[in-house]
Amino acid sequence: MVDIRPNQREGSHPAASVGRVPGPRLIAILLLAIAVRAYRIGEPYGGFLGFNEAFYADHARAYLDRPLIELFTRPLDFNNPPLFTLLLRESFALFGISEAAARMIPLAASVATVAVAGQLAASLLGRATGTITALLLAVSPAFVLLGRNVQVDMVALFFALAFLHAYVRGAQAERPMLKLVAGLLLGL
């Protein structure tokens, strides 16, 4: 059995060692994460992952001309969950069909993942660890690359970490409702 109670040093004040990444620090880290990922966001698809990006974008574009219900009743692709395609479709509907509009979804999920990972680390290992975790994810080259590619990976990772964070917080605070929210997040 894994102990998920907050990590506290003996004799230290609980609020001093565990909790959440302080707001101003987290905002600065998230702004850095956005800036790093948004650089040249409108570049054409290409490179090693270009086919995947075009694949997902093409599916989302195809659904713009079809009723939304067909995303679930007559999907173009049975191998991928529909949430990512739905989010891309809505991004295209709001911002027009472009590489930048397609990349907004994974970019947003990646930046949200930076925040959730930082808060999860802070709740388990302390504020300093949470801040370092968020900062490292914000600038990690591999995470930045995947965080702007039009693929389902970042959205899936966001929901997986959000599930874990909600479950841990629910267990720490003995709040069953947070565990229910965790289950719903895992289902997405």
Side-chain angles (χ1 to χ4, degrees):
M1 176 68 98
V2 176
D3 185 12
I4 59 173
R5 290 176 293 178
N7 182 20
Q8 295 176 9
R9 289 184 288 266
E10 193 173 319
S12 69
H13 187 274
S17 61
V18 226
R20 297 181 180 266
V21 176
R25 285 186 199 159
L26 185 59
I27 290 170
I29 290 169
L30 294 180
L31 289 174
L32 174 64
I34 291 168
V36 170
R37 285 158 180 76
Y39 176 70
R40 298 173 67 175
I41 193 171
E43 277 188 343
Y45 303 131
F48 182 69
L49 301 171
F51 176 80
N52 287 338
E53 290 187 294
F55 172 83
Y56 286 113
D58 187 53
H59 275 72
R61 184 206 44 79
Y63 282 114
L64 281 174
D65 302 329
R66 302 167 77 184
L68 184 60
I69 192 70
E70 286 190 17
L71 179 65
F72 303 99
T73 60
R74 296 178 52 207
L76 296 173
D77 178 23
F78 288 97
N79 295 318
N80 294 298
L83 179 62
F84 185 66
T85 305
L86 173 65
L87 293 172
L88 281 179
R89 177 191 186 273
E90 295 309 309
S91 181
F92 285 164
L94 286 171
F95 304 111
I97 300 171
S98 69
E99 285 85 351
R103 289 185 176 128
M104 285 184 195
I105 300 303
L107 186 146
S110 174
V111 171
T113 300
V114 168
V116 171
Q119 298 298 7
L120 175 62
S123 68
L124 289 172
L125 302 168
R127 290 180 179 173
T129 304
T131 302
I132 292 167
T133 299
L135 182 60
L136 288 175
L137 280 179
V139 298
S140 166
F143 200 72
V144 170
L145 174 67
L146 287 176
R148 53 178 279 134
N149 280 347
V150 184
Q151 297 183 66
V152 71
D153 302 27
M154 267 310 130
V155 174
L157 180 59
F158 166 72
F159 283 114
L161 273 180
F163 148 75
L164 187 57
H165 180 58
Y167 184 81
V168 165
R169 294 295 286 190
Q172 287 175 339
E174 296 181 11
R175 294 175 51 197
M177 186 55 86
L178 278 177
K179 291 180 182 179
L180 177 63
V181 168
L184 293 173
L185 289 168
L186 186 60
L188 291 173

